[in-house]
Amino acid sequence: MPADDLPESLHVTTEEQLRAVSNLTRHRIMAVLRFEPATITQIAARVGLAKGSSSYHVRLLERAGLVKVVRTRKVRGVTERYYAMAAQAIVLPDPGARQPDVLMRHVVADLEAAPVDAERHVRMAHLRLTGEQFAELGARLQALADEDRELSDPSLPDVSLAFALFRPAPR
């Protein structure tokens, strides 16, 4: 299913959806499905799981409405299902006060799991901005991410881009 046929975004609103996306393994499965459909066998190989474990996690994601079967085919009498994301983007709710930010936890886990010798660009800057400057920078970062997503070629290796623009708690 071409990405153009998918809804632009799906907002995580239920507890079932939040539990599904909060799991690092399921986060990594969704990353596999971000650009192209895949079977349980293909997902298992990409994520480094047993097929049974992959099947379990994909079923939970499917029940939560985050992934769906986009095509099937018969292979030696068995129906092979191809799964894809249910939307082009999954939008997580903002964490509540004193609750962990699921997305940032996944980003850190993925960064820590990345090959140490691979090229990476990780920076942190502390700025002092007006409300207007803060909003403008957020819009520019989002536009950059959207622009780069449009340039993305599924035949190339995966690259992750994460950013967090926030006002830290007062010290």
Side-chain angles (χ1 to χ4, degrees), residues 11-170:
H11 289 261
V12 170
T13 57
T14 69
E15 282 297 316
E16 180 182 30
Q17 290 173 326
L18 191 55
R19 276 193 307 276
V21 298
S22 294
N23 179 277
L24 183 59
T25 298
R26 291 189 285 274
H27 158 77
R28 290 181 172 154
I29 288 170
M30 290 190 301
V32 167
L33 300 175
R34 180 86 49 225
F35 295 110
E36 59 192 343
T39 65
I40 294 295
T41 301
Q42 292 166 333
I43 292 167
R46 291 273 311 274
V47 178
L49 289 174
K51 281 175 48 175
S53 293
S54 293
S55 179
Y56 167 78
H57 288 291
V58 169
R59 277 195 319 273
L60 288 176
L61 289 166
E62 185 179 24
R63 248 195 324 263
L66 301 169
V67 303
K68 62 183 181 178
V69 175
V70 293
R71 75 174 180 266
T72 59
R73 70 178 188 145
K74 287 278 192 191
V75 177
R76 292 184 288 268
V78 175
T79 301
E80 193 170 58
R81 292 175 181 85
Y82 284 80
Y83 294 88
M85 296 298 297
Q88 293 177 44
I90 303 296
V91 181
L92 299 177
D94 288 332
R98 306 231 190 281
Q99 291 190 341
D101 187 313
V102 171
L103 180 61
M104 284 295 112
R105 285 187 171 198
H106 291 334
V107 167
V108 170
D110 285 348
L111 181 61
E112 289 173 345
V116 178
D117 59 343
E119 181 181 9
R120 60 170 117 194
H121 304 273
V122 178
R123 304 288 179 273
M124 183 170 189
H126 298 280
L127 310 170
R128 291 189 174 187
L129 303 172
T130 65
E132 185 178 308
Q133 291 169 322
F134 182 88
E136 181 186 329
L137 180 55
R140 286 181 20 224
L141 289 168
Q142 187 60 52
L144 179 63
D146 292 344
E147 177 185 323
D148 289 345
R149 186 179 15 243
E150 291 172 12
L151 299 174
S152 188
D153 180 344
S155 68
L156 296 174
D158 289 347
V159 172
S160 292
L161 169 66
F163 60 85
L165 178 64
F166 59 96
R167 294 194 184 279

